[in-house]
Amino acid sequence: MTLNRSIRLPALPLLLATAFAGPATAESDSTAIDGPAKESAVFGGGCFWCVEEAYDKVEGVVATTSGFAGGELENPSYEQVSSGDTDHIEVVKVEYDPERVDYRTLLYVFWRNIDPFAVNRQFCDRGRPYQSAIFPEHADQRAMAEATRDAMAERFGREIGVEILDFTAFYPAETYHQDYYDKNPVRYNFYKSACGREDRLQEVWGDEAEAYAMP
């Protein structure tokens, strides 16, 4: 069956998730962190299912949680965010062990898992919820994020669509969104392929596409 991407694909994440979802709760099933406090980082790269998959492959990342950031509404639902009625962006909170992986590496992975030129969209998903963004949690993270964005603008010789926004709050998405790529591989891989994510990443990044470590 041929898909009409302009009409049907932007709704795929909602359709695929809710068709098989149980009761929605704003809880995360990501792995709990024991021991010394870890550091965290927040990234928006389009569909949070795909961003979560990318960071779960990174050595030193100890937990990932899909959720929302950037808007004023507290504890928004997926339906509220995806409708475009809030200013929230789909994001992933990445908790990591700084003795095993640093923020610079997380930024390297971020860039190579997005289309850096897109504005208010990523791949087939369109609208503010799919804006690519970095949410620095302190001044050091902001400085590194801005430096990498400048480097990307110089590398490609064109304007970069990624926003760097103040981090204020993170709200976890409903439980059925957490680890979706792992729990629902058939439906996830259909969405990812139909959305053109892998093809576009190859077009932009070549051998660097979908990196999960620095060379």
Side-chain angles (χ1 to χ4, degrees):
M1 179 179 65
T2 301
L3 292 174
N4 184 334
R5 295 189 181 185
S6 64
I7 296 175
R8 302 183 66 176
L9 288 181
L12 272 175
L14 180 58
L15 291 174
L16 291 174
T18 57
F20 299 91
T25 59
E27 299 175 355
S28 168
D29 65 349
S30 294
T31 305
I33 304 174
D34 297 320
K38 307 300 180 184
E39 295 189 19
S40 63
V42 177
F43 302 102
C47 174
F48 46 30
W49 300 342
C50 300
V51 179
E52 191 174 355
E53 180 194 20
Y55 279 108
D56 278 344
K57 297 176 180 177
V58 178
E59 183 176 356
V61 168
V62 294
T64 56
T65 307
S66 289
F68 314 106
E72 296 183 0
L73 180 66
E74 295 184 3
N75 296 312
S77 69
Y78 177 72
E79 286 74 17
Q80 287 174 311
V81 174
S82 61
S83 71
D85 291 338
T86 78
D87 290 328
H88 287 289
I89 293 171
E90 286 195 13
V91 298
V92 170
K93 182 178 182 180
V94 179
E95 296 171 87
Y96 63 100
D97 181 347
E99 295 185 357
R100 297 170 60 201
V101 64
D102 58 16
Y103 187 68
R104 192 175 303 279
T105 298
L106 299 182
L107 286 168
Y108 183 92
V109 173
F110 167 77
W111 287 105
R112 287 151 183 84
N113 281 273
I114 65 164
D115 177 346
F117 315 119
V119 175
N120 285 334
R121 65 177 179 84
Q122 277 292 308
F123 314 105
C124 70
D125 295 312
R126 299 176 182 274
R128 182 63 182 174
Y130 304 104
Q131 169 64 33
S132 52
I134 304 169
F135 290 84
E137 297 187 24
H138 50 72
D140 288 345
Q141 285 190 356
R142 175 172 284 276
M144 283 188 278
E146 291 176 347
T148 59
R149 186 173 62 178
D150 291 345
M152 291 302 154
E154 182 176 355
R155 169 175 173 167
F156 291 106
R158 57 182 294 189
E159 187 173 354
I160 300 300
V162 174
E163 297 182 10
I164 299 176
L165 303 172
D166 292 335
F167 175 75
T168 55
F170 169 82
Y171 301 103
E174 294 85 348
T175 299
Y176 64 83
H177 285 296
Q178 309 302 333
D179 301 315
Y180 189 89
Y181 75 93
D182 187 46
K183 295 174 181 175
N184 304 279
V186 174
R187 292 187 289 274
Y188 170 74
N189 287 321
F190 168 76
Y191 157 73
K192 187 176 179 180
S193 176
C195 203
R197 188 180 188 100
E198 293 176 327
D199 290 343
R200 178 57 177 160
L201 290 177
Q202 284 289 332
E203 182 181 357
V204 174
W205 296 105
D207 292 341
E208 297 175 31
E210 298 187 283
Y212 54 89
M214 291 185 70

